């Protein structure tokens, strides 16, 4: 268990559980806030709207607010590295639209939250983080306020594994040198390595490691993987022909 996982409050309820929580007013809306950075939304608008419609179809009481709140990457990193530090002077000032949204939401899909979030979001009960790391969200005071936090471990495994293979090909095929020659309008042969038949070592065989292994096998590579815990069934499903090495 990493540091972020150790700090996460255990998730015991699903969205359906919230809807069946025996509240006195069973007609009151359950307000869900879409608050992660807009630039993280890679779906076409029609797909986004389709997914929001599917969420609302779970229960007619669900109301979705699409009001984004985001901080700079630098501030997010600082808050994540030192969740007990007070960086509120670096946070963006909330707009009236954001204040109104925070004042109503009970569930937030977020990557960032204001400090002392309970003061601006008194109804907030559950925060779904948009990545594996969650320390920057914990710094908003969720634990002290009893607000549940869940992360999205593995959600970026495919994109990161594709990046790993892209960088590997970039180096082994000497693409930076070829790009430099193209910019200089000159040419001389550059011979890279074939990755087929090569051996790749993967330290850590979680969600990202398994996705890297799948893609490496597709290129004809031999995969050696090691992990701290012994769960042979997971690697076997993800990469049938891998060889597992444990310390």
């Amino acid at each position: 268990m990493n540091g972020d996982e150790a700090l996460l409050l255990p998730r015991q309820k699903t969205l359906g559980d919230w809807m069946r929580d025996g509240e006195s007013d069973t007609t009151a809306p359950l307000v869900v806030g879409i608050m992660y950075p807009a630039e993280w939304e890679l779906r076409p608008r029609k797909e986004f709207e389709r997914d929001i419609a599917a969420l609302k179809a779970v229960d007619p009481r669900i109301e979705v607010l699409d009001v984004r709140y985001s901080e700079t990457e630098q501030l997010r990193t600082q808050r994540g590295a030192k969740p007990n530090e007070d960086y509120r002077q670096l946070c963006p000032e909330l707009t009236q639209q954001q204040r109104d949204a925070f004042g109503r939401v009970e569930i937030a899909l977020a990557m960032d939250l204001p400090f002392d979030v309970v003061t601006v979001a008194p109804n907030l009960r559950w925060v779904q983080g948009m990545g594996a790391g969650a320390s920057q969200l914990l710094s908003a005071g969720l634990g002290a306020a009893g607000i549940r936090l869940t992360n999205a471990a593995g959600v970026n495994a495919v994109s990161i594994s594709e990046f790993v293979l892209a960088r590997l090909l970039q180096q082994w095929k000497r693409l930076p040198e070829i790009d430099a020659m193209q910019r200089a309008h000159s040419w001389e042969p550059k011979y890279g390595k074939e990755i087929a038949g090569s051996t790749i070592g993967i330290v850590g065989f979680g969600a990202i490691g398994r996705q890297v292994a799948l893609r490496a096998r597709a290129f004809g590579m031999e995969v050696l993987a090691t992990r701290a815990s012994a769960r042979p069934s997971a690697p076997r499903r993800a990469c049938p022909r891998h060889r597992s090495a444990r310390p």
Side-chain angles (χ1 to χ4, degrees):
M1 178 179 292
N2 62 34
D4 286 339
E5 292 170 335
L7 289 169
L8 290 176
L9 293 173
R11 177 179 175 181
Q12 298 174 346
K13 294 186 178 182
T14 65
L15 179 59
D17 294 326
W18 291 118
M19 303 304 297
R20 299 187 295 269
D21 215 15
E23 297 178 356
S24 56
D25 185 359
T26 58
T27 64
L30 177 66
V31 183
V32 179
I34 309 296
M35 295 183 157
Y36 54 84
E39 59 268 25
W40 285 40
E41 185 54 71
L42 302 179
R43 290 168 293 182
R45 186 66 189 181
K46 286 186 178 180
E47 289 186 19
F48 174 77
E49 292 173 351
R50 179 201 63 196
D51 292 341
I52 295 300
L55 174 61
K56 292 179 178 179
V58 173
D59 190 288
R61 291 170 291 173
I62 295 176
E63 179 181 350
V64 179
L65 301 180
D66 185 1
V67 179
R68 310 306 176 112
Y69 172 79
S70 62
E71 298 172 353
T72 65
E73 187 68 36
Q74 181 181 9
L75 178 56
R76 188 179 301 135
T77 300
Q78 288 176 304
R79 292 183 65 173
K82 297 180 178 180
N84 296 320
E85 290 288 328
D86 189 344
Y87 293 108
R88 72 189 67 217
Q89 73 279 4
L90 302 177
C91 293
E93 184 176 353
L94 294 177
T95 66
Q96 189 58 53
Q97 183 188 35
Q98 290 170 332
R99 288 187 178 278
D100 292 343
F102 273 118
R104 297 189 61 212
V105 295
E106 297 174 69
I107 299 172
L109 281 66
M111 196 63 190
D112 307 294
L113 289 171
F115 279 90
D116 300 323
V117 68
V118 70
T119 63
V120 293
N123 300 312
L124 187 60
R125 296 190 281 171
W126 175 14
V127 176
Q128 172 61 57
M130 302 306 294
S135 294
Q136 81 280 3
L137 294 169
L138 288 167
S139 70
L142 301 181
I147 299 170
R148 197 172 306 278
L149 171 64
T150 51
N151 67 1
V155 70
N156 296 314
V158 170
S159 60
I160 294 175
S161 66
E162 290 175 352
F163 177 79
V164 170
L165 268 295
R167 292 290 285 179
L168 189 152
L169 288 168
Q170 180 189 41
Q171 295 303 313
W172 281 20
K173 297 302 181 182
R174 303 176 69 176
L175 298 184
E177 296 173 66
I178 293 173
D179 287 342
M181 287 190 299
Q182 185 179 34
R183 289 191 296 270
H185 302 286
S186 64
W187 174 252
E188 62 179 272
K190 297 290 183 182
Y191 302 104
K193 291 180 60 177
E194 285 189 356
I195 65 172
S198 300
T199 301
I200 184 171
I202 301 176
V203 180
F205 210 57
I208 295 173
R210 290 195 296 272
Q211 291 297 329
V212 171
L214 284 171
R215 285 153 181 77
R217 287 296 307 172
F219 276 99
M221 302 182 74
E222 180 76 7
V223 177
L224 296 178
T226 182
R227 63 182 305 157
S229 60
R231 287 191 296 170
S233 61
R236 197 178 305 278
R237 287 195 302 269
C239 188
R241 298 174 59 191
H242 82 290
R243 289 170 55 195
S244 179
R246 295 192 184 94

